[in-house]
Amino acid sequence: MAVFHDVLQRLGIEEVNSGVYRGEWVEQPGGGELVSIDPSTGEPIARVLTASRDDYDSSVERAQAAFERWRVTPPPVRGEFVRRIGLALREHKRDLGRLVTLEVGKIASEGEGEVQEMIDMCDFAVGLSRQLYGLTIASERPRHRMFEQWHPLGPVGVITAFNFPVAVWSWNAALAAVCGDPCLWKPAPQAPLTAVAVQHIVNCALAGSGWEDLFGLCISEGATVGQWMAADRRLPLVSATGSCGMGRSVGAAVSGRLGRALLELGGNNGVIVSETADLDLALRAVVFAAAGTAGQRCTTLRRLILQHSIAAEFVERLIAAYKSIRIGDPWEAGVLMGPLIDERSIVGMLQALDTIRDQDGEVLYGGRRIDRPGYFVEPAIVRARPDMPIVGCETFAPILYVMECDTLEEAIAMHNAVDQGLSSAIFTDSVREAERFLSPEGSDCGIANVNIGTSGAEIGGAFGGEKDTGGGREAGSDAWTAYLRRQTCTINYGHDLPLAQGVEFDVS
Ligand code: NAD
């Protein structure tokens, strides 16, 4: 941790940090103390004081007050403030990236990559701030004009997962801001320091602007603040990223009060490799998608479906490639796999491997805990059958199930036979196979790729998944519409009052 000392200082991280910001830092928030752990060593990095119910309530009140002013600020002016945040992130890219590496164990290029994603989101949102278009619709009545417009919604509650501790905040915050909505952020308990650092960077960007209360932070030890958000009618939208279990709970609470939930939940992503594929390309993509980020991406490849004729050779090459993955301190050059996030994840992985054996799966490679401090494991390759119940579950660790099929139809059926529906891919050089995979009879996921792995999406596309993944869409395309309320307007510029559908109602 000594190597990070300067980084922490430059990002404003102290030994004890306030975890509540609402226009100013709350010096002594009334919740408990949360210790941030370096997963590479198991050692504490620093402590964060978390929010009490009172802290949370006053944070929501500040966000409501900010909304009153922000909603009438023209969107391109809002974009200017997001542009400033993007510039500040550019300045702190390396330091914030290193903090991601320190706190959640991502390798250095991925830590910085996350910050690049934040910068890209800011740029995207700035452009969007001049493009929040509505439609003009043909009216059936003479001398009437009908159109749609989009208005700000209100303060947005943003709940994030540990594995994208900063990027997912920006997916929400950048869009919400240009749409006219302040944000209150509840980060994952495993990554409180990156959240504090992001808040510091945002504060620098907005200092003296009068908009210091646009982005708030409310850290809790566990799920508490997230549960308060889900039940809180003052937050018309709660955007929640995390496991399917979390999504079920948040989704039920938000829909119970008839609010809006944007859910980005667990994946169980599959790749089909056809016998026509460029196997060198497929191999490189499979290794990154399955073992990259230590298997802790929502888009991590978990199920590999190989056509029989190429299966044996592909598995042999895959094992050889896995053997060459350097595992170790995530900031060291050449290391491709850092630690899992915590002891619970290690236990979860080892238990899943026991279950795999009980269900007659065969561990072909890896799966052992590495004997050193911190939470390091070997990535595992498992020979599996689609009817093994564990194959339907997302174990958030690097376990890759390898299965075989004869035909593309069989492969697609196998691919779609799980509850989650986030990311998917096919490797093929056949146009027919590729198009079939992308057709309505093909992949049932929110993301479907050809000759690209399941992970590593660009921000320009809408990101999210179907089925138990929750149906939410964030980042690019028209994901912005989630942060606004739609209003359909009709103007009569004539002197008659014709009714729609030819209804007559004369009172003269
Ligand atoms: P998690 O579900 O344990 O926690 C996610 C966040 O939700 C945390 O901030 C947590 O405190 C909060 N939370 C948990 N239970 C809650 C509840 N009942 N009410 C309100 N808030 C609650 O997930 P995690 O372990 O941090 O992250 C890994 C999971 O997230 C995986 O399932 C992964 O696939 C998923 N994920 C999905 C996406 C996506 O975009 N689809 C992105 C990243 C991670």
mmCIF file of all heavy atoms in Angstrom, residues 91-138:
data_model
loop_
_atom_site.group_PDB
_atom_site.id
_atom_site.type_symbol
_atom_site.label_atom_id
_atom_site.label_comp_id
_atom_site.label_asym_id
_atom_site.label_seq_id
_atom_site.Cartn_x
_atom_site.Cartn_y
_atom_site.Cartn_z
ATOM 1 N N GLU A 91 -7.726 14.821 -15.794
ATOM 2 C CA GLU A 91 -6.577 15.240 -14.980
ATOM 3 C C GLU A 91 -6.215 14.158 -13.939
ATOM 4 O O GLU A 91 -5.056 13.965 -13.628
ATOM 5 C CB GLU A 91 -6.982 16.519 -14.250
ATOM 6 C CG GLU A 91 -5.889 17.534 -14.050
ATOM 7 C CD GLU A 91 -6.508 18.754 -13.401
ATOM 8 O OE1 GLU A 91 -7.340 19.431 -14.071
ATOM 9 O OE2 GLU A 91 -6.218 18.996 -12.229
ATOM 10 N N HIS A 92 -7.231 13.503 -13.412
ATOM 11 C CA HIS A 92 -6.990 12.542 -12.317
ATOM 12 C C HIS A 92 -7.085 11.089 -12.781
ATOM 13 O O HIS A 92 -7.188 10.193 -11.941
ATOM 14 C CB HIS A 92 -8.012 12.777 -11.197
ATOM 15 C CG HIS A 92 -7.837 14.103 -10.521
ATOM 16 N ND1 HIS A 92 -6.853 14.344 -9.593
ATOM 17 C CD2 HIS A 92 -8.505 15.263 -10.674
ATOM 18 C CE1 HIS A 92 -6.926 15.597 -9.184
ATOM 19 N NE2 HIS A 92 -7.916 16.182 -9.824
ATOM 20 N N LYS A 93 -7.046 10.890 -14.085
ATOM 21 C CA LYS A 93 -7.289 9.534 -14.607
ATOM 22 C C LYS A 93 -6.354 8.494 -13.982
ATOM 23 O O LYS A 93 -6.780 7.451 -13.507
ATOM 24 C CB LYS A 93 -7.140 9.539 -16.131
ATOM 25 C CG LYS A 93 -7.293 8.175 -16.773
ATOM 26 C CD LYS A 93 -7.243 8.245 -18.272
ATOM 27 C CE LYS A 93 -7.090 6.847 -18.846
ATOM 28 N NZ LYS A 93 -6.944 6.831 -20.288
ATOM 29 N N ARG A 94 -5.093 8.795 -13.978
ATOM 30 C CA ARG A 94 -4.121 7.805 -13.499
ATOM 31 C C ARG A 94 -4.333 7.516 -12.008
ATOM 32 O O ARG A 94 -4.379 6.370 -11.576
ATOM 33 C CB ARG A 94 -2.714 8.326 -13.759
ATOM 34 C CG ARG A 94 -1.669 7.271 -13.588
ATOM 35 C CD ARG A 94 -0.307 7.834 -13.998
ATOM 36 N NE ARG A 94 0.747 7.216 -13.226
ATOM 37 C CZ ARG A 94 1.255 6.037 -13.479
ATOM 38 N NH1 ARG A 94 0.801 5.319 -14.482
ATOM 39 N NH2 ARG A 94 2.223 5.531 -12.722
ATOM 40 N N ASP A 95 -4.507 8.587 -11.228
ATOM 41 C CA ASP A 95 -4.651 8.383 -9.781
ATOM 42 C C ASP A 95 -5.940 7.628 -9.446
ATOM 43 O O ASP A 95 -5.927 6.703 -8.631
ATOM 44 C CB ASP A 95 -4.644 9.744 -9.060
ATOM 45 C CG ASP A 95 -3.229 10.311 -8.962
ATOM 46 O OD1 ASP A 95 -2.265 9.531 -9.081
ATOM 47 O OD2 ASP A 95 -3.094 11.536 -8.785
ATOM 48 N N LEU A 96 -7.022 8.040 -10.082
ATOM 49 C CA LEU A 96 -8.289 7.360 -9.771
ATOM 50 C C LEU A 96 -8.228 5.898 -10.233
ATOM 51 O O LEU A 96 -8.698 4.986 -9.539
ATOM 52 C CB LEU A 96 -9.468 8.097 -10.425
ATOM 53 C CG LEU A 96 -10.856 7.594 -10.052
ATOM 54 C CD1 LEU A 96 -11.088 7.604 -8.548
ATOM 55 C CD2 LEU A 96 -11.947 8.422 -10.759
ATOM 56 N N GLY A 97 -7.616 5.669 -11.387
ATOM 57 C CA GLY A 97 -7.444 4.303 -11.887
ATOM 58 C C GLY A 97 -6.641 3.459 -10.899
ATOM 59 O O GLY A 97 -6.951 2.299 -10.649
ATOM 60 N N ARG A 98 -5.608 4.063 -10.328
ATOM 61 C CA ARG A 98 -4.768 3.323 -9.369
ATOM 62 C C ARG A 98 -5.553 3.009 -8.091
ATOM 63 O O ARG A 98 -5.366 1.959 -7.484
ATOM 64 C CB ARG A 98 -3.526 4.137 -9.037
ATOM 65 C CG ARG A 98 -2.599 4.206 -10.238
ATOM 66 C CD ARG A 98 -1.223 4.658 -9.847
ATOM 67 N NE ARG A 98 -0.271 3.792 -10.507
ATOM 68 C CZ ARG A 98 0.848 3.329 -9.974
ATOM 69 N NH1 ARG A 98 1.177 3.660 -8.759
ATOM 70 N NH2 ARG A 98 1.648 2.543 -10.643
ATOM 71 N N LEU A 99 -6.417 3.939 -7.724
ATOM 72 C CA LEU A 99 -7.230 3.675 -6.530
ATOM 73 C C LEU A 99 -8.197 2.511 -6.776
ATOM 74 O O LEU A 99 -8.423 1.676 -5.894
ATOM 75 C CB LEU A 99 -7.999 4.942 -6.126
ATOM 76 C CG LEU A 99 -8.818 4.818 -4.850
ATOM 77 C CD1 LEU A 99 -7.960 4.476 -3.643
ATOM 78 C CD2 LEU A 99 -9.599 6.105 -4.580
ATOM 79 N N VAL A 100 -8.736 2.443 -7.992
ATOM 80 C CA VAL A 100 -9.601 1.303 -8.342
ATOM 81 C C VAL A 100 -8.792 0.005 -8.205
ATOM 82 O O VAL A 100 -9.261 -1.000 -7.651
ATOM 83 C CB VAL A 100 -10.168 1.464 -9.780
ATOM 84 C CG1 VAL A 100 -10.844 0.186 -10.245
ATOM 85 C CG2 VAL A 100 -11.133 2.646 -9.852
ATOM 86 N N THR A 101 -7.567 0.047 -8.691
ATOM 87 C CA THR A 101 -6.687 -1.127 -8.583
ATOM 88 C C THR A 101 -6.442 -1.497 -7.124
ATOM 89 O O THR A 101 -6.507 -2.665 -6.737
ATOM 90 C CB THR A 101 -5.345 -0.823 -9.297
ATOM 91 O OG1 THR A 101 -5.621 -0.687 -10.685
ATOM 92 C CG2 THR A 101 -4.330 -1.927 -9.083
ATOM 93 N N LEU A 102 -6.187 -0.487 -6.318
ATOM 94 C CA LEU A 102 -5.903 -0.742 -4.901
ATOM 95 C C LEU A 102 -7.133 -1.292 -4.183
ATOM 96 O O LEU A 102 -7.042 -2.250 -3.419
ATOM 97 C CB LEU A 102 -5.462 0.574 -4.242
ATOM 98 C CG LEU A 102 -5.241 0.547 -2.736
ATOM 99 C CD1 LEU A 102 -4.103 -0.396 -2.371
ATOM 100 C CD2 LEU A 102 -4.935 1.944 -2.204
ATOM 101 N N GLU A 103 -8.283 -0.698 -4.440
ATOM 102 C CA GLU A 103 -9.455 -1.045 -3.624
ATOM 103 C C GLU A 103 -10.228 -2.258 -4.111
ATOM 104 O O GLU A 103 -10.787 -2.998 -3.297
ATOM 105 C CB GLU A 103 -10.403 0.165 -3.507
ATOM 106 C CG GLU A 103 -11.364 0.015 -2.353
ATOM 107 C CD GLU A 103 -12.190 1.264 -2.089
ATOM 108 O OE1 GLU A 103 -12.575 1.946 -3.050
ATOM 109 O OE2 GLU A 103 -12.477 1.535 -0.905
ATOM 110 N N VAL A 104 -10.283 -2.475 -5.443
ATOM 111 C CA VAL A 104 -11.021 -3.665 -5.905
ATOM 112 C C VAL A 104 -10.154 -4.666 -6.662
ATOM 113 O O VAL A 104 -10.648 -5.700 -7.103
ATOM 114 C CB VAL A 104 -12.287 -3.300 -6.738
ATOM 115 C CG1 VAL A 104 -13.215 -2.411 -5.958
ATOM 116 C CG2 VAL A 104 -11.963 -2.703 -8.079
ATOM 117 N N GLY A 105 -8.869 -4.365 -6.844
ATOM 118 C CA GLY A 105 -7.939 -5.367 -7.376
ATOM 119 C C GLY A 105 -7.931 -5.521 -8.882
ATOM 120 O O GLY A 105 -7.388 -6.503 -9.399
ATOM 121 N N LYS A 106 -8.488 -4.560 -9.620
ATOM 122 C CA LYS A 106 -8.418 -4.660 -11.091
ATOM 123 C C LYS A 106 -6.992 -4.369 -11.544
ATOM 124 O O LYS A 106 -6.329 -3.507 -10.950
ATOM 125 C CB LYS A 106 -9.340 -3.630 -11.738
ATOM 126 C CG LYS A 106 -10.778 -3.966 -11.615
ATOM 127 C CD LYS A 106 -11.608 -3.052 -12.510
ATOM 128 C CE LYS A 106 -13.052 -3.501 -12.433
ATOM 129 N NZ LYS A 106 -13.914 -2.815 -13.381
ATOM 130 N N ILE A 107 -6.536 -5.018 -12.613
ATOM 131 C CA ILE A 107 -5.184 -4.716 -13.099
ATOM 132 C C ILE A 107 -5.151 -3.255 -13.557
ATOM 133 O O ILE A 107 -6.191 -2.656 -13.874
ATOM 134 C CB ILE A 107 -4.735 -5.680 -14.219
ATOM 135 C CG1 ILE A 107 -5.672 -5.614 -15.426
ATOM 136 C CG2 ILE A 107 -4.608 -7.088 -13.675
ATOM 137 C CD1 ILE A 107 -5.145 -6.375 -16.634
ATOM 138 N N ALA A 108 -3.925 -2.692 -13.602
ATOM 139 C CA ALA A 108 -3.781 -1.247 -13.796
ATOM 140 C C ALA A 108 -4.498 -0.747 -15.052
ATOM 141 O O ALA A 108 -5.193 0.280 -15.005
ATOM 142 C CB ALA A 108 -2.307 -0.894 -13.839
ATOM 143 N N SER A 109 -4.370 -1.447 -16.177
ATOM 144 C CA SER A 109 -4.981 -0.934 -17.415
ATOM 145 C C SER A 109 -6.501 -0.939 -17.293
ATOM 146 O O SER A 109 -7.185 -0.082 -17.853
ATOM 147 C CB SER A 109 -4.531 -1.755 -18.618
ATOM 148 O OG SER A 109 -5.047 -3.054 -18.525
ATOM 149 N N GLU A 110 -7.038 -1.885 -16.539
ATOM 150 C CA GLU A 110 -8.497 -1.909 -16.368
ATOM 151 C C GLU A 110 -8.960 -0.834 -15.399
ATOM 152 O O GLU A 110 -10.039 -0.253 -15.562
ATOM 153 C CB GLU A 110 -8.957 -3.275 -15.871
ATOM 154 C CG GLU A 110 -8.882 -4.340 -16.926
ATOM 155 C CD GLU A 110 -9.615 -5.594 -16.481
ATOM 156 O OE1 GLU A 110 -10.837 -5.533 -16.301
ATOM 157 O OE2 GLU A 110 -8.940 -6.618 -16.295
ATOM 158 N N GLY A 111 -8.135 -0.570 -14.378
ATOM 159 C CA GLY A 111 -8.461 0.515 -13.448
ATOM 160 C C GLY A 111 -8.551 1.838 -14.198
ATOM 161 O O GLY A 111 -9.529 2.580 -14.086
ATOM 162 N N GLU A 112 -7.546 2.101 -15.011
ATOM 163 C CA GLU A 112 -7.568 3.349 -15.791
ATOM 164 C C GLU A 112 -8.651 3.305 -16.867
ATOM 165 O O GLU A 112 -9.246 4.320 -17.211
ATOM 166 C CB GLU A 112 -6.194 3.595 -16.430
ATOM 167 C CG GLU A 112 -5.196 4.132 -15.427
ATOM 168 C CD GLU A 112 -3.939 4.688 -16.082
ATOM 169 O OE1 GLU A 112 -4.028 5.329 -17.146
ATOM 170 O OE2 GLU A 112 -2.860 4.458 -15.512
ATOM 171 N N GLY A 113 -8.889 2.110 -17.384
ATOM 172 C CA GLY A 113 -9.934 1.957 -18.402
ATOM 173 C C GLY A 113 -11.293 2.372 -17.865
ATOM 174 O O GLY A 113 -12.115 2.963 -18.573
ATOM 175 N N GLU A 114 -11.505 2.070 -16.596
ATOM 176 C CA GLU A 114 -12.787 2.478 -15.999
ATOM 177 C C GLU A 114 -12.933 3.988 -15.971
ATOM 178 O O GLU A 114 -14.005 4.538 -16.211
ATOM 179 C CB GLU A 114 -12.882 1.949 -14.566
ATOM 180 C CG GLU A 114 -13.846 0.831 -14.461
ATOM 181 C CD GLU A 114 -14.476 0.711 -13.096
ATOM 182 O OE1 GLU A 114 -15.294 1.555 -12.709
ATOM 183 O OE2 GLU A 114 -14.145 -0.250 -12.428
ATOM 184 N N VAL A 115 -11.814 4.657 -15.653
ATOM 185 C CA VAL A 115 -11.885 6.122 -15.603
ATOM 186 C C VAL A 115 -12.070 6.664 -17.022
ATOM 187 O O VAL A 115 -12.802 7.632 -17.240
ATOM 188 C CB VAL A 115 -10.625 6.707 -14.930
ATOM 189 C CG1 VAL A 115 -10.780 8.209 -14.759
ATOM 190 C CG2 VAL A 115 -10.378 6.042 -13.583
ATOM 191 N N GLN A 116 -11.421 6.009 -18.006
ATOM 192 C CA GLN A 116 -11.628 6.433 -19.397
ATOM 193 C C GLN A 116 -13.110 6.319 -19.759
ATOM 194 O O GLN A 116 -13.666 7.174 -20.458
ATOM 195 C CB GLN A 116 -10.768 5.576 -20.338
ATOM 196 C CG GLN A 116 -10.840 6.024 -21.803
ATOM 197 C CD GLN A 116 -10.432 7.486 -21.969
ATOM 198 O OE1 GLN A 116 -9.422 7.920 -21.442
ATOM 199 N NE2 GLN A 116 -11.247 8.261 -22.684
ATOM 200 N N GLU A 117 -13.742 5.273 -19.254
ATOM 201 C CA GLU A 117 -15.172 5.081 -19.533
ATOM 202 C C GLU A 117 -15.986 6.235 -18.940
ATOM 203 O O GLU A 117 -16.965 6.705 -19.534
ATOM 204 C CB GLU A 117 -15.606 3.743 -18.938
ATOM 205 C CG GLU A 117 -16.929 3.252 -19.440
ATOM 206 C CD GLU A 117 -17.187 1.798 -19.068
ATOM 207 O OE1 GLU A 117 -16.223 1.030 -18.885
ATOM 208 O OE2 GLU A 117 -18.367 1.439 -18.953
ATOM 209 N N MET A 118 -15.564 6.701 -17.767
ATOM 210 C CA MET A 118 -16.252 7.856 -17.151
ATOM 211 C C MET A 118 -16.090 9.093 -18.041
ATOM 212 O O MET A 118 -17.041 9.857 -18.249
ATOM 213 C CB MET A 118 -15.659 8.181 -15.784
ATOM 214 C CG MET A 118 -15.724 7.067 -14.775
ATOM 215 S SD MET A 118 -14.826 7.510 -13.269
ATOM 216 C CE MET A 118 -16.039 8.454 -12.377
ATOM 217 N N ILE A 119 -14.872 9.274 -18.543
ATOM 218 C CA ILE A 119 -14.603 10.436 -19.399
ATOM 219 C C ILE A 119 -15.456 10.334 -20.667
ATOM 220 O O ILE A 119 -16.096 11.303 -21.087
ATOM 221 C CB ILE A 119 -13.091 10.488 -19.745
ATOM 222 C CG1 ILE A 119 -12.279 10.746 -18.470
ATOM 223 C CG2 ILE A 119 -12.801 11.526 -20.813
ATOM 224 C CD1 ILE A 119 -10.778 10.498 -18.604
ATOM 225 N N ASP A 120 -15.487 9.136 -21.250
ATOM 226 C CA ASP A 120 -16.299 8.933 -22.462
ATOM 227 C C ASP A 120 -17.768 9.230 -22.184
ATOM 228 O O ASP A 120 -18.466 9.827 -23.001
ATOM 229 C CB ASP A 120 -16.162 7.486 -22.962
ATOM 230 C CG ASP A 120 -14.744 7.151 -23.422
ATOM 231 O OD1 ASP A 120 -13.952 8.082 -23.658
ATOM 232 O OD2 ASP A 120 -14.432 5.948 -23.537
ATOM 233 N N MET A 121 -18.231 8.807 -21.006
ATOM 234 C CA MET A 121 -19.641 9.060 -20.658
ATOM 235 C C MET A 121 -19.900 10.559 -20.538
ATOM 236 O O MET A 121 -20.956 11.047 -20.955
ATOM 237 C CB MET A 121 -20.015 8.368 -19.342
ATOM 238 C CG MET A 121 -20.548 6.977 -19.442
ATOM 239 S SD MET A 121 -21.820 6.669 -20.692
ATOM 240 C CE MET A 121 -23.168 7.720 -20.172
ATOM 241 N N CYS A 122 -18.950 11.289 -19.950
ATOM 242 C CA CYS A 122 -19.135 12.741 -19.828
ATOM 243 C C CYS A 122 -19.205 13.363 -21.220
ATOM 244 O O CYS A 122 -20.092 14.183 -21.503
ATOM 245 C CB CYS A 122 -17.999 13.371 -19.016
ATOM 246 S SG CYS A 122 -18.111 12.973 -17.266
ATOM 247 N N ASP A 123 -18.279 12.966 -22.105
ATOM 248 C CA ASP A 123 -18.289 13.515 -23.468
ATOM 249 C C ASP A 123 -19.626 13.214 -24.148
ATOM 250 O O ASP A 123 -20.227 14.074 -24.797
ATOM 251 C CB ASP A 123 -17.154 12.902 -24.307
ATOM 252 C CG ASP A 123 -15.791 13.435 -23.889
ATOM 253 O OD1 ASP A 123 -15.734 14.329 -23.027
ATOM 254 O OD2 ASP A 123 -14.776 12.944 -24.426
ATOM 255 N N PHE A 124 -20.051 11.988 -24.006
ATOM 256 C CA PHE A 124 -21.321 11.570 -24.624
ATOM 257 C C PHE A 124 -22.475 12.434 -24.104
ATOM 258 O O PHE A 124 -23.308 12.930 -24.861
ATOM 259 C CB PHE A 124 -21.564 10.092 -24.307
ATOM 260 C CG PHE A 124 -22.838 9.551 -24.881
ATOM 261 C CD1 PHE A 124 -22.894 9.098 -26.189
ATOM 262 C CD2 PHE A 124 -24.005 9.492 -24.116
ATOM 263 C CE1 PHE A 124 -24.078 8.606 -26.725
ATOM 264 C CE2 PHE A 124 -25.187 8.998 -24.643
ATOM 265 C CZ PHE A 124 -25.221 8.552 -25.952
ATOM 266 N N ALA A 125 -22.485 12.625 -22.780
ATOM 267 C CA ALA A 125 -23.589 13.377 -22.161
ATOM 268 C C ALA A 125 -23.549 14.850 -22.576
ATOM 269 O O ALA A 125 -24.604 15.476 -22.749
ATOM 270 C CB ALA A 125 -23.528 13.245 -20.638
ATOM 271 N N VAL A 126 -22.347 15.402 -22.748
ATOM 272 C CA VAL A 126 -22.249 16.805 -23.178
ATOM 273 C C VAL A 126 -22.909 16.946 -24.554
ATOM 274 O O VAL A 126 -23.719 17.848 -24.786
ATOM 275 C CB VAL A 126 -20.774 17.276 -23.220
ATOM 276 C CG1 VAL A 126 -20.690 18.676 -23.813
ATOM 277 C CG2 VAL A 126 -20.170 17.269 -21.817
ATOM 278 N N GLY A 127 -22.573 16.048 -25.475
ATOM 279 C CA GLY A 127 -23.204 16.091 -26.806
ATOM 280 C C GLY A 127 -24.712 15.939 -26.699
ATOM 281 O O GLY A 127 -25.491 16.657 -27.341
ATOM 282 N N LEU A 128 -25.097 14.997 -25.836
ATOM 283 C CA LEU A 128 -26.525 14.714 -25.656
ATOM 284 C C LEU A 128 -27.285 15.936 -25.135
ATOM 285 O O LEU A 128 -28.476 16.111 -25.408
ATOM 286 C CB LEU A 128 -26.632 13.559 -24.661
ATOM 287 C CG LEU A 128 -27.970 12.888 -24.492
ATOM 288 C CD1 LEU A 128 -28.377 12.203 -25.787
ATOM 289 C CD2 LEU A 128 -27.876 11.856 -23.375
ATOM 290 N N SER A 129 -26.587 16.780 -24.382
ATOM 291 C CA SER A 129 -27.269 17.914 -23.759
ATOM 292 C C SER A 129 -27.858 18.857 -24.810
ATOM 293 O O SER A 129 -28.690 19.706 -24.494
ATOM 294 C CB SER A 129 -26.318 18.668 -22.823
ATOM 295 O OG SER A 129 -25.332 19.355 -23.566
ATOM 296 N N ARG A 130 -27.428 18.720 -26.060
ATOM 297 C CA ARG A 130 -28.041 19.517 -27.136
ATOM 298 C C ARG A 130 -28.931 18.656 -28.024
ATOM 299 O O ARG A 130 -29.311 19.069 -29.117
ATOM 300 C CB ARG A 130 -26.945 20.175 -27.986
ATOM 301 C CG ARG A 130 -26.210 21.267 -27.237
ATOM 302 C CD ARG A 130 -25.170 21.953 -28.083
ATOM 303 N NE ARG A 130 -24.447 22.939 -27.290
ATOM 304 C CZ ARG A 130 -24.812 24.217 -27.147
ATOM 305 N NH1 ARG A 130 -25.873 24.685 -27.775
ATOM 306 N NH2 ARG A 130 -24.114 25.034 -26.395
ATOM 307 N N GLN A 131 -29.236 17.441 -27.580
ATOM 308 C CA GLN A 131 -29.989 16.530 -28.467
ATOM 309 C C GLN A 131 -31.094 15.778 -27.737
ATOM 310 O O GLN A 131 -31.359 14.621 -28.052
ATOM 311 C CB GLN A 131 -29.027 15.495 -29.066
ATOM 312 C CG GLN A 131 -27.880 16.080 -29.836
ATOM 313 C CD GLN A 131 -26.932 14.997 -30.294
ATOM 314 O OE1 GLN A 131 -27.276 14.210 -31.160
ATOM 315 N NE2 GLN A 131 -25.765 14.935 -29.697
ATOM 316 N N LEU A 132 -31.700 16.386 -26.747
ATOM 317 C CA LEU A 132 -32.762 15.671 -26.021
ATOM 318 C C LEU A 132 -34.067 15.838 -26.808
ATOM 319 O O LEU A 132 -34.967 16.558 -26.419
ATOM 320 C CB LEU A 132 -32.868 16.211 -24.592
ATOM 321 C CG LEU A 132 -31.578 16.095 -23.772
ATOM 322 C CD1 LEU A 132 -31.701 16.833 -22.448
ATOM 323 C CD2 LEU A 132 -31.220 14.633 -23.523
ATOM 324 N N TYR A 133 -34.101 15.173 -27.954
ATOM 325 C CA TYR A 133 -35.168 15.397 -28.925
ATOM 326 C C TYR A 133 -36.500 14.793 -28.508
ATOM 327 O O TYR A 133 -36.551 13.713 -27.953
ATOM 328 C CB TYR A 133 -34.806 14.748 -30.257
ATOM 329 C CG TYR A 133 -33.547 15.234 -30.901
ATOM 330 C CD1 TYR A 133 -32.591 14.330 -31.331
ATOM 331 C CD2 TYR A 133 -33.329 16.586 -31.115
ATOM 332 C CE1 TYR A 133 -31.433 14.765 -31.952
ATOM 333 C CE2 TYR A 133 -32.173 17.025 -31.734
ATOM 334 C CZ TYR A 133 -31.220 16.109 -32.144
ATOM 335 O OH TYR A 133 -30.092 16.535 -32.752
ATOM 336 N N GLY A 134 -37.578 15.470 -28.895
ATOM 337 C CA GLY A 134 -38.906 14.862 -28.842
ATOM 338 C C GLY A 134 -39.411 14.664 -30.262
ATOM 339 O O GLY A 134 -38.800 15.130 -31.220
ATOM 340 N N LEU A 135 -40.534 13.973 -30.396
ATOM 341 C CA LEU A 135 -41.104 13.705 -31.719
ATOM 342 C C LEU A 135 -42.249 14.659 -32.004
ATOM 343 O O LEU A 135 -42.952 15.096 -31.091
ATOM 344 C CB LEU A 135 -41.691 12.297 -31.754
ATOM 345 C CG LEU A 135 -40.742 11.121 -31.658
ATOM 346 C CD1 LEU A 135 -41.565 9.838 -31.552
ATOM 347 C CD2 LEU A 135 -39.840 11.091 -32.887
ATOM 348 N N THR A 136 -42.463 14.951 -33.281
ATOM 349 C CA THR A 136 -43.722 15.590 -33.679
ATOM 350 C C THR A 136 -44.557 14.492 -34.325
ATOM 351 O O THR A 136 -44.053 13.724 -35.152
ATOM 352 C CB THR A 136 -43.455 16.720 -34.688
ATOM 353 O OG1 THR A 136 -42.685 17.724 -34.027
ATOM 354 C CG2 THR A 136 -44.757 17.327 -35.172
ATOM 355 N N ILE A 137 -45.824 14.397 -33.926
ATOM 356 C CA ILE A 137 -46.669 13.281 -34.369
ATOM 357 C C ILE A 137 -47.855 13.850 -35.143
ATOM 358 O O ILE A 137 -48.423 14.881 -34.736
ATOM 359 C CB ILE A 137 -47.161 12.491 -33.138
ATOM 360 C CG1 ILE A 137 -45.944 11.943 -32.388
ATOM 361 C CG2 ILE A 137 -48.103 11.366 -33.518
ATOM 362 C CD1 ILE A 137 -46.082 11.950 -30.912
ATOM 363 N N ALA A 138 -48.224 13.190 -36.231
ATOM 364 C CA ALA A 138 -49.343 13.692 -37.037
ATOM 365 C C ALA A 138 -50.636 13.614 -36.222
ATOM 366 O O ALA A 138 -50.995 12.547 -35.728
ATOM 367 C CB ALA A 138 -49.467 12.862 -38.305
#
